[in-house]
Amino acid sequence: MIQIFPVSSRHHAVFGWLKSNLSFSFADYHDPKTTSFGLMRDLNDDFVLSLRVFGIHLHQNMEVVSIVLEGQLEHKEAS
């Protein structure tokens, strides 16, 4: 089954150094209709400001895929 999520339905958030277009509930944004899609829990378009980094943090039982369109990104997991 195909479901369409128009761009206008996405939540836009600014976390200081990070701008995100959120497909699912995340951080302070919660919508009971958008907590996940099957096993997928998160699908964001993130724009990271230059020279900023994600702090080291843990992702339990999940894969993180980053597609960098411009610049460089380093993402480290906590052990």
Side-chain angles (χ1 to χ4, degrees):
M1 176 172 64
I2 295 174
Q3 287 188 331
I4 298 173
F5 296 92
V7 127
S8 62
S9 73
R10 301 179 80 195
H11 181 74
H12 305 285
V14 177
F15 302 104
W17 58 276
L18 176 69
K19 292 192 305 184
S20 293
N21 297 313
L22 308 172
S23 296
F24 305 118
S25 296
F26 185 79
D28 293 338
Y29 167 64
H30 180 74
D31 179 349
K33 298 177 291 191
T34 62
T35 57
S36 66
F37 185 77
L39 295 175
M40 187 181 300
R41 172 64 184 97
D42 195 8
L43 177 63
N44 299 340
D45 291 333
D46 290 332
F47 301 89
V48 182
L49 295 181
S50 297
L51 304 177
R52 293 303 305 252
V53 295
F54 287 99
I56 293 177
H57 55 285
L58 183 61
H59 295 108
Q60 292 182 325
N61 300 318
M62 69 176 68
E63 289 293 324
V64 175
V65 177
S66 297
I67 300 170
V68 179
L69 300 178
E70 184 178 319
Q72 299 176 1
L73 176 68
E74 183 177 0
H75 192 135
K76 292 182 179 182
E77 289 272 335
S79 301

